[in-house]
Amino acid sequence: MAIARKPPVNTHGPIAWMRQNLFSSLANSIISLVTIILLLWAGVGLVRWIFFEAVWGQVWINLKLFAVYRYPADLLWRPLSIAALIMLLLGLTAGGSSPSGGEIIRGVFWWVLSLVIGLNLIALITWESVRWWWTLVSVASLVGFVLGRAQPRLLRTLPWLWGASLPIGLLLLIGVAPEGGLRSVDTREWGGFMLTLILSGVGIGVSFPLGIALALGRRSQLPAIKYFSIGFIEIVRGAPLITWLFIASLMVPLIFNISPDRIGALQRALVAITLFSAAYMAENVRGGLQAVAKGQSEAARALGLSGWQTMRLIVLPQALRAVIPAIVGQAIGLFKDTSLVFIVGLFDFFNIQNIVANQPGSLQVPGGIRLELSLFLALVYWFFAFRMSVASRQLEKQLGVGIR
Amino acid sequence: MATRTTSYKDSSERIPFYRNVKTIGILAQIIFAVAVIAGAFIIYRNVATALTRSSLPADFSFLDSRAGIPIAETPIRYNPNDNYLKAFTIGVLNTLKVALVGVLLTSLLGVFIGVMRLSNNWILRQIATVYVETIRNTPLAVQIVFWFTAVLTPLPPRSLNPIELPGGALLSNLGLAIPWTYPSYSFSAWLPWLIVALLLFVLVFGFRRRQILLSERPGNPWLPAFIVALLVAGAGYFIAAGGSSLPTNIASEVRATSGVATVFIDANQNGRKDNDEAIVPFAAAEVSLSQGFLEAQTQELTESRQIIYSTFRFPPIKEKEFAQAQVSFVDPEASQGLSIYFENFPSEGVVYRDLNGNGSFDRGEETNTSGTRVSGYSAKLRLEVTDFKRRIVADRNGQIRIPRFSAEPAAEQESAGANISPAQLFAVPAPSEEALQLEVNIDLKESAPLVMSYPSIPIGPYFGGISLSTNYLALLLALIIYTASFIAEIVRAGIQAVPKGQTEAAKALGLSGYQIFSLIVFPQALRIILPPMISQYLNLTKNSSLAPLAAYAELFAISIIIANQTGASVPVTIMIILAYLIISLTFALVLNIVNARIALVER
Amino acid sequence: MVVTAGSTRADAPAGGDKIIEIADLNKWYGDFHVLKDINASVNKGEVVVVIGPSGSGKSTLIRCINRLEEHQEGKIVVDGVELTDDVRKIDQIRRETGMVFQSFNLFPHLTVMENITLAPIRVRKWKKSKAEERAMYFLEKVGIPEQARKYPGQLSGGQQQRVAIARALTMEPKVMLFDEPTSALDPEVIGEVLEVMVNLAKEGMTMVVVTHEMGFAREVGDRVIFMDQGQIVEVGTPEHFFSNPQEERTRSFLSKIL
């Protein structure tokens, strides 16, 4: 029996790797060298700009504005305790998920936690008023994770906890008392990254049931319901979100026949975002419903389940499982698209840059600080969107394997 | 087993209506319809009362009234006195302008990046991956603002000091001006040739295709047809160019006050442009000026973040074109101690502070070392020009804009020129009485059917070539780059989706690499790529509604202005929705046609 | 029997006109040694059946013959042309060898007729009418002339594989390579494909067949080559091979599949 030999050409080591991947032919070698030189040149330029030429001071002193806009400084503990609650739940989910299936959510958790801990360290050093509240967020995350590890049973209550966190959070932000620490805060004072998260969270959260209803309506055999759903979905998807935001700000006061001052820009934006998101959600869910084999509902009906039971117990769970990656994708899209609320005069994370850029301190910087602002915004949006899209791809892969 | 044959129909038992499958359905629909109608009615009533109370326009009659909206870029002629409908139409055209160009360019970039992701070169692959992962995970809005406020707006200011790109294009904070060809008056002589060329193209193509069919060999019918058509069109071009002469009675009239000359057909030969006389667009002319004065001022400049006093470039005027020139600081107080070093007198110079006191410019002295911003050092150029000559092509309105020369020099500022090195100081002579009338001589030139118009740097707005504003460029660039990241993924997935076995089978049959790609891989990949690509085109078009971020006047931006000016919320809402619905439906139609044509026949 | 590093030589019977010669062939996938010192040859008109467990390298071997896989060591000569990095030689060899794949690999965007005539027109530079005429001839031979205008997607697996055979034959190759032609087929249509192959063998076509169909090997095979772990383990006539295998590995393989 012949003994396996090593191949005559070395296929290991950095040199072989470079030969295969960079210098496999003359043309490739030239391309590689030119691009390496260009990349080095661009990299050096970028590093020099970031560390020596850029003026980051204006971004640094405006971080509170970027985070919460005009939310009262003495009430910052409220958004921070909501952050703690959400991180607690995220930690619970990550810790409690099964060793194999939870890899994806754990990846997201560590990613976000690294940011939280980083901010916590900064808070401990310089942000005196909120340093312990930031510590609470970090601690809550870790507690959630450990608790989830120890008591995976808690996982079953998680959907309810997540669902409850939305109204609880909003209530805490709005405030309940006329005065004191729990005094109410006008939504006009809301903004910054907090607003971006509220818009995307409420948008996805509320549009989820609406989208399912619309998807079922579109597949209904009753023409009235079917055509209403189709009409709604197609008209809403026909025009871009920014136009719906504008239309909502024009039309909502008219539709309810109230004076425009009595309904805030936030509420109007939420109406537009939710309905818009619901139309897209409906199409995603419909894709999932179509993916469920017809035999499934036939088997369920044959077992004597009612139509509603079949839908709720057999078809929907399978359909929704199949569309999780698409819904995550939609959430990423919505997270990015909340930047369009500038059109109704809201100051979300994106729109804060226009305030900062026009501050006297920024105008004094020669050439302005638009470049710094753009980079900062892009980095923050990217930090979340990129990690989510990685998770979405992992989910797709995992579900794909699971189905086959 | 008992066999009961009772069927539903025979059953004498009456089913209560609330248990009957059919009536339940009908009832549900009725309830639903009633709810929807009631909701619609309430909305209608509310809107109607709100409208009557605030007496805002509720129908479309307002469209006919004067808009008064100034729009910077208009594909067709427009002035603020036109009505709202015209303004809205401009918006639609501007949307199309950004969408069509965007679709074309994003396809090129997207395919390029997508193919790069499949390259066997590791670095190229990584660059493409980083591109895709960075761009599509950053909001488009951020990218538009980046291009608009961080890249294009800070470009060298005004038309005086643009970046000259290869090929004669000019880039500045007013946008990009590129050379462009226009049909001249002799284009009509060339037109028959073009038609003949087109006919020949069809004929040769048909003939070649028949020949190929008869010879039963693969062949390319396009190339010979194309070559023949090109030859004929080319020959016609030169014949038309040679045989054409200026139209009779063509004349030009200069309005010295505005510096604008109009080229027109002087039917009654009175030397003046009368109202009923037709203009001649795109005529080439040699503009010469025996004597005139010109004044220009640079903007205060700071280049990048190293604080530099100023480098400036005045319009490139050749040394023999001017008799006297003077450059001085606008505000001598503020520019105390500053001097100007001319790299090329008088067009290019550097403002510096003579730190070592040797009286001349040394490297490093242009940098402001004090760390505080200084202002008031912008410089003013005064020229007295003799024998100025330029070839200028008239625009579509037959107008030739002459650099803002004046017949007499502007009033001199006190203590001007105090900081100029004496060798470069020219005294401006006092205005003479005769010089009050600016003498411009416009010599219209014969030209080929197409004239090339180059952007030049006169003082004032761009003139010549074709101009793209920074607003348009910012939106276009962001849309192209953003959409390309999605198209790249579609292209990559499409090519990867063609099974490896297809290439292997083609190889085994002896097809060459090019044949494998063009006959086997590409047609199959295209079927997978096209449908999602078309929806990306639709996305690009819909995303052009982010134009307000770059202050570009497309349909949504103009709709906002109309709604704010007229308060016509309901009509404008309907107009916006309808416009985008039509766009979406058009794309859906194209998608359906494409899908039907490319569907693979399966069992 | 000459033993080179443990691999058996599979030389064609002497006196024949050798059309494929493989000498000291070695191939690696990365570090994995897939083909070890293969020596083999095939005479004109011979039918050689290659069998062996999956992963034994038998598919890789025949894919090396028309350079769908690149070998690192050794020599392959097809019809007097040595397979090197020279594109012209690769093209020449591919023109003269037809190949039938396990998964058919018909081009789904072309009709059956276009699938078959594509290479003759583009590679052999035949006139279309000649190509179509020859295509019909071979379609009739494989028994499905009526399917010429259909698309592959409209045919059954067996029909598709017969089209693939016709496609390879229309190029008038000197050698036909079959890479597990029946493995992806439903049991009831395997017969129709095998029948075509048997007829082809009887007409004197030179064939190298990788297959698990022992019946085919017995009926028309001139020689059977058994491969395992990248080596040729045993070579012989079908009678000898099936009735009296010499090697232990051959015996255990045969006992598992027969």
Side-chain angles (χ1 to χ4, degrees):
Chain A
M1 194 176 162
I3 290 141
R5 286 194 277 129
K6 286 273 168 219
V9 258
N10 189 8
T11 53
H12 274 298
I15 293 181
W17 182 88
M18 273 171 32
R19 190 164 47 218
Q20 273 169 19
N21 291 293
L22 298 179
F23 306 107
S24 59
S25 65
L26 182 68
N28 247 339
S29 311
I30 295 171
I31 291 173
S32 300
L33 285 176
V34 171
T35 28
I36 288 173
I37 291 167
L38 282 177
L39 279 180
L40 280 177
W41 175 77
V44 168
L46 189 69
V47 167
R48 208 179 58 189
W49 182 81
I50 289 177
F51 291 103
F52 299 108
E53 291 175 24
V55 180
W56 296 109
Q58 281 303 109
V59 176
W60 171 251
I61 60 171
N62 283 303
L63 279 182
K64 190 242 163 190
L65 209 57
F66 274 114
V68 293
Y69 186 45
R70 292 196 313 225
Y71 204 83
D74 59 321
L75 299 182
L76 281 181
W77 63 270
R78 273 152 61 173
L80 280 171
S81 31
I82 296 165
L85 173 69
I86 288 171
M87 285 308 290
L88 178 82
L89 290 179
L90 193 61
L92 263 176
T93 319
S97 300
S98 66
S100 61
E103 274 314 313
I104 298 167
I105 184 79
R106 270 194 290 280
V108 175
F109 174 69
W110 293 124
W111 185 263
V112 179
L113 186 63
S114 67
L115 178 72
V116 166
I117 289 178
L119 288 170
N120 188 8
L121 288 178
I122 297 174
L124 283 174
I125 298 165
T126 59
W127 300 334
E128 278 175 37
S129 60
V130 289
R131 63 170 58 141
W132 301 118
W133 290 104
W134 269 110
T135 312
L136 174 75
V137 181
S138 309
V139 171
S141 325
L142 293 170
V143 166
F145 188 76
V146 173
L147 206 62
R149 265 284 153 86
Q151 300 285 338
R153 284 179 301 119
L154 285 171
L155 211 60
R156 251 174 291 160
T157 57
L158 270 177
W160 301 106
L161 291 177
W162 275 112
S165 70
L166 199 65
I168 291 175
L170 285 178
L171 201 66
L172 189 56
L173 281 182
I174 295 168
V176 284
E179 275 177 58
L182 283 172
R183 68 172 186 268
S184 63
V185 179
D186 193 306
T187 53
R188 264 178 283 248
E189 314 290 309
W190 299 15
F193 198 70
M194 179 181 84
L195 182 66
T196 297
L197 289 181
I198 291 172
L199 291 169
S200 1
V202 175
I204 281 290
V206 181
S207 72
F208 184 63
L210 274 180
I212 293 176
L214 279 169
L216 294 178
R218 188 166 187 167
R219 278 167 64 94
S220 164
Q221 265 137 37
L222 310 174
I225 295 174
K226 182 176 173 183
Y227 289 108
F228 174 82
S229 305
I230 292 179
F232 179 87
I233 292 171
E234 293 305 331
I235 290 175
V236 169
R237 276 163 25 108
L241 174 60
I242 190 169
T243 62
W244 289 117
L245 283 164
F246 179 68
I247 289 169
S249 79
L250 285 184
M251 296 297 291
V252 166
L254 291 181
I255 285 172
F256 295 106
N257 192 12
I258 48 175
S259 114
D261 321 326
R262 280 187 45 215
I263 180 156
L266 174 68
Q267 287 84 330
R268 299 185 214 180
L270 276 178
V271 170
I273 285 180
T274 308
L275 293 182
F276 183 80
S277 184
Y280 278 84
M281 184 70 77
E283 285 303 274
N284 281 336
V285 173
R286 187 166 73 108
L289 290 172
Q290 275 168 346
V292 178
K294 214 177 153 205
Q296 292 292 314
S297 59
E298 284 173 356
R301 296 307 292 265
L303 284 171
L305 296 178
S306 76
W308 173 238
Q309 283 173 322
T310 306
M311 189 47 81
R312 194 167 53 90
L313 300 173
I314 308 297
V315 178
L316 262 187
Q318 294 186 49
L320 293 183
R321 203 178 111 89
V323 297
I324 292 174
I327 292 175
V328 174
Q330 198 191 331
I332 301 169
L334 189 63
F335 172 69
K336 291 189 295 170
D337 281 350
T338 50
S339 52
L340 304 183
V341 294
F342 74 88
I343 203 80
V344 295
L346 282 176
F347 284 96
D348 73 322
F349 185 61
F350 168 77
N351 206 8
I352 298 286
Q353 68 171 322
N354 291 320
I355 301 177
V356 175
N358 292 316
Q359 285 171 346
S362 311
L363 294 173
Q364 262 172 14
V365 177
I369 57 159
R370 284 293 189 170
L371 199 53
E372 285 88 343
L373 288 172
S374 286
L375 241 71
F376 171 66
L377 288 184
L379 186 71
V380 173
Y381 277 112
W382 179 86
F383 182 88
F384 292 95
F386 170 70
R387 193 59 191 80
M388 294 276 278
S389 70
V390 169
S392 163
R393 254 171 288 159
Q394 291 170 332
L395 272 166
E396 212 164 325
K397 219 165 142 192
Q398 201 184 47
L399 289 173
V401 172
I403 283 166
R404 245 174 261 136
Chain B
M1 274 265 245
T3 48
R4 285 208 318 203
T5 51
T6 342
S7 84
Y8 167 74
K9 268 182 192 152
D10 301 334
S11 163
S12 53
E13 186 191 354
R14 273 183 59 94
I15 318 167
F17 75 92
Y18 53 87
R19 261 168 49 201
N20 186 321
V21 189
K22 294 208 172 103
T23 38
I24 290 175
I26 293 168
L27 259 169
Q29 290 194 69
I30 291 172
I31 294 169
F32 183 77
V34 166
V36 169
I37 291 168
F41 176 74
I42 292 170
I43 290 174
Y44 173 79
R45 206 199 49 195
N46 280 350
V47 172
T49 27
L51 286 181
T52 18
R53 199 185 47 213
S54 53
S55 66
L56 291 172
D59 61 3
F60 291 92
S61 54
F62 76 94
L63 282 176
D64 204 26
S65 43
R66 180 184 175 276
I69 306 171
I71 305 175
E73 323 188 60
T74 56
I76 55 173
R77 276 179 215 179
Y78 168 86
N79 73 62
N81 285 324
D82 287 331
N83 62 18
Y84 283 112
L85 186 63
K86 183 83 179 270
F88 187 76
T89 313
I90 299 279
V92 173
L93 290 176
N94 276 342
T95 294
L96 292 180
K97 183 171 137 192
V98 78
L100 292 178
V101 177
V103 160
L104 188 76
L105 295 180
T106 200
S107 306
L108 294 177
L109 182 62
V111 170
F112 182 74
I113 302 283
V115 172
M116 228 165 110
R117 286 205 74 178
L118 296 169
S119 156
N120 56 5
N121 186 306
W122 184 82
I123 293 195
L124 291 187
R125 244 175 12 240
Q126 295 311 307
I127 291 176
T129 309
V130 169
Y131 175 95
V132 169
E133 292 298 345
T134 318
I135 297 298
R136 66 174 186 180
N137 284 317
T138 312
L140 178 59
V142 173
Q143 297 187 34
I144 294 176
V145 170
F146 165 74
W147 287 109
F148 186 56
T149 65
V151 177
L152 293 172
T153 309
L155 278 174
R158 283 218 256 145
S159 47
L160 282 176
N161 194 17
I163 299 168
E164 287 171 70
L165 301 176
L170 300 174
L171 186 64
S172 79
N173 70 345
L174 279 188
L176 180 71
I178 47 179
W180 201 254
T181 52
Y182 292 105
S184 76
Y185 61 89
S186 61
F187 186 78
S188 53
W190 188 39
L191 200 60
W193 289 91
L194 279 181
I195 295 168
V196 170
L198 192 70
L199 285 174
L200 274 175
F201 182 86
V202 175
L203 277 175
V204 173
F205 177 79
F207 176 73
R208 263 301 283 167
R209 204 172 53 173
R210 228 177 103 76
Q211 217 181 20
I212 288 165
L213 220 64
L214 288 175
S215 75
E216 301 184 15
R217 287 207 165 80
N220 184 351
W222 296 97
L223 195 64
F226 186 70
I227 289 172
V228 168
L230 202 68
L231 282 177
V232 170
Y237 185 83
F238 289 107
I239 293 169
S244 78
S245 53
L246 283 170
T248 46
N249 294 339
I250 191 166
S252 61
E253 183 195 26
V254 187
R255 209 161 289 217
T257 46
S258 61
V260 172
T262 311
V263 185
F264 62 104
I265 301 285
D266 194 9
N268 54 13
Q269 303 199 349
N270 65 352
R272 275 202 322 274
K273 161 97 173 68
D274 301 311
N275 274 340
D276 55 341
E277 286 173 336
I279 56 127
V280 180
F282 309 122
E286 190 170 77
V287 177
S288 54
L289 188 73
S290 52
Q291 194 183 33
F293 297 91
L294 190 108
E295 194 176 280
Q297 186 175 330
T298 60
Q299 195 139 330
E300 298 190 355
L301 280 178
T302 39
E303 292 206 340
S304 79
R305 288 290 155 78
Q306 303 141 356
I307 301 169
I308 287 180
Y309 294 113
S310 178
T311 58
F312 64 82
R313 283 186 297 173
F314 285 119
I317 286 176
K318 295 175 204 91
E319 198 132 14
K320 61 176 184 197
E321 286 177 343
F322 64 87
Q324 302 191 351
Q326 180 192 9
V327 179
S328 60
F329 288 112
V330 173
D331 181 359
E333 289 289 308
S335 53
Q336 205 67 49
L338 294 176
S339 319
I340 300 176
Y341 168 73
F342 289 96
E343 278 151 357
N344 183 9
F345 185 78
S347 308
E348 291 171 50
V350 179
V351 177
Y352 70 99
R353 189 180 293 272
D354 194 7
L355 291 172
N356 55 12
N358 65 354
S360 64
F361 171 68
D362 301 287
R363 283 279 148 226
E365 289 183 339
E366 79 276 26
T367 313
N368 179 0
T369 47
S370 69
T372 50
R373 227 177 147 192
V374 284
S375 58
Y377 51 78
S378 62
K380 191 173 260 187
L381 167 78
R382 289 149 180 246
L383 279 178
E384 184 194 345
V385 168
T386 50
D387 291 336
F388 172 85
K389 245 187 207 129
R390 284 291 164 85
R391 186 175 177 279
I392 295 179
V393 175
D395 65 11
R396 66 179 169 193
N397 298 321
Q399 295 192 329
I400 293 174
R401 234 162 283 194
I402 298 149
R404 296 229 175 97
F405 290 105
S406 56
E408 55 176 317
E412 210 177 334
Q413 269 184 342
E414 285 167 39
S415 71
N419 304 300
I420 308 284
S421 359
Q424 287 150 344
L425 255 177
F426 289 76
V428 177
S432 60
E433 291 295 318
E434 318 78 270
L436 284 171
Q437 192 60 39
L438 185 67
E439 280 173 42
V440 181
N441 185 24
I442 293 182
D443 187 9
L444 294 163
K445 294 282 175 194
E446 291 182 0
S447 65
L450 294 175
V451 283
M452 193 75 181
S453 171
Y454 287 96
S456 57
I457 323 175
I459 295 160
Y462 279 148
F463 175 67
I466 195 167
S467 298
L468 310 170
S469 68
T470 47
N471 316 70
Y472 176 74
L473 283 177
L475 183 65
L476 185 70
L477 272 174
L479 284 174
I480 289 171
I481 290 172
Y482 184 72
T483 316
S485 70
F486 293 89
I487 289 183
E489 280 303 275
I490 292 169
V491 169
R492 179 188 64 84
I495 294 177
Q496 279 182 339
V498 177
K500 222 177 125 205
Q502 293 289 312
T503 322
E504 288 185 346
K507 271 187 192 168
L509 285 168
L511 294 176
S512 71
Y514 172 73
Q515 285 173 329
I516 294 174
F517 182 77
S518 64
L519 298 171
I520 308 298
V521 178
F522 180 71
Q524 294 188 53
L526 197 65
R527 281 155 207 267
I528 304 165
I529 290 170
L530 263 184
M533 192 102 133
I534 292 172
S535 47
Q536 284 306 323
Y537 294 161
L538 172 60
N539 281 348
L540 184 145
T541 310
K542 288 205 281 188
N543 281 337
S544 69
S545 57
L546 268 62
L549 283 171
Y552 175 69
E554 51 68 82
L555 95 89
F556 179 56
I558 288 188
S559 300
I560 295 178
I561 300 173
I562 297 178
N564 288 343
Q565 280 193 6
T566 61
S569 313
V570 181
V572 170
T573 296
I574 293 172
M575 278 159 65
I576 295 175
I577 295 177
L578 273 185
Y580 281 105
L581 268 189
I582 290 169
I583 290 172
S584 295
L585 289 176
T586 313
F587 275 97
L589 185 73
V590 172
L591 183 64
N592 281 343
I593 294 170
V594 167
N595 269 336
R597 284 202 57 179
I598 64 173
L600 280 181
V601 184
E602 306 253 356
R603 267 205 293 184
Chain C
M1 206 155 67
V2 184
V3 177
T4 335
S7 208
T8 309
R9 295 187 70 91
D11 291 324
D17 189 358
K18 280 184 188 163
I19 193 157
I20 301 177
E21 286 180 84
I22 299 169
D24 298 325
L25 182 72
N26 276 288
K27 174 170 175 56
W28 287 263
Y29 283 132
D31 258 359
F32 178 61
H33 202 168
V34 267
L35 292 178
K36 301 167 188 162
D37 300 317
I38 302 290
N39 284 282
S41 51
V42 177
N43 276 342
K44 228 169 222 168
E46 223 188 344
V47 176
V48 175
V49 178
V50 186
I51 61 172
S54 55
S56 58
K58 53 193 195 306
S59 279
T60 310
L61 176 62
I62 74 162
R63 287 159 62 86
C64 279
I65 295 174
N66 67 351
R67 219 343 146 118
L68 289 183
E69 303 283 354
E70 193 183 334
H71 59 275
Q72 281 92 26
E73 279 181 16
K75 195 166 133 180
I76 298 175
V77 180
V78 179
D79 197 25
V81 181
E82 191 189 340
L83 196 54
T84 59
D85 285 345
D86 185 350
V87 182
R88 276 166 66 185
K89 288 192 172 167
I90 296 173
D91 284 346
Q92 205 177 339
I93 288 175
R94 283 180 180 161
R95 272 200 297 275
E96 304 306 336
T97 52
M99 187 161 196
V100 176
F101 298 86
Q102 178 179 353
S103 50
F104 330 137
N105 292 347
L106 293 181
F107 307 128
H109 61 300
L110 303 177
T111 62
V112 166
M113 183 53 86
E114 287 164 346
N115 258 283
I116 300 177
T117 57
L118 179 75
I121 292 174
R122 303 275 171 171
V123 179
R124 287 243 187 260
K125 310 285 180 203
W126 288 357
K127 288 192 171 189
K128 200 176 163 202
S129 58
K130 182 189 175 192
E132 292 196 339
E133 190 190 307
R134 296 298 293 158
M136 275 319 280
Y137 169 77
F138 284 108
L139 273 177
E140 267 161 36
K141 212 160 164 183
V142 300
I144 40 172
E146 73 283 357
Q147 311 286 10
R149 299 292 155 202
K150 287 195 180 163
Y151 282 90
Q154 296 168 290
L155 306 183
S156 72
Q159 288 172 326
Q160 289 196 41
Q161 193 59 300
R162 286 188 279 163
V163 171
I165 294 173
R167 177 172 76 177
L169 286 175
T170 310
M171 281 293 280
E172 301 188 334
K174 295 191 172 129
V175 186
M176 284 285 283
L177 307 172
F178 291 85
D179 187 4
E180 305 202 22
T182 54
S183 300
L185 294 175
D186 292 335
E188 72 270 21
V189 297
I190 287 178
E192 66 193 40
V193 172
L194 283 179
E195 193 190 317
V196 169
M197 289 169 63
V198 168
N199 288 338
L200 201 57
K202 286 181 178 161
E203 281 168 24
M205 172 60 81
T206 314
M207 295 163 69
V208 181
V209 184
V210 173
T211 188
H212 294 294
E213 296 296 328
M214 298 302 151
F216 175 81
R218 252 192 208 136
E219 192 180 340
V220 292
D222 293 314
R223 272 188 301 148
V224 177
I225 295 176
F226 173 68
M227 287 185 69
D228 190 21
Q229 296 181 1
Q231 297 168 301
I232 296 177
V233 175
E234 190 164 359
V235 187
T237 59
E239 303 83 56
H240 157 85
F241 195 86
F242 289 109
S243 53
N244 187 20
Q246 300 292 305
E247 295 281 335
E248 173 51 36
R249 277 193 276 171
T250 318
R251 276 198 292 276
S252 91
F253 175 71
L254 288 176
S255 70
K256 273 181 215 148
I257 63 162
L258 287 178

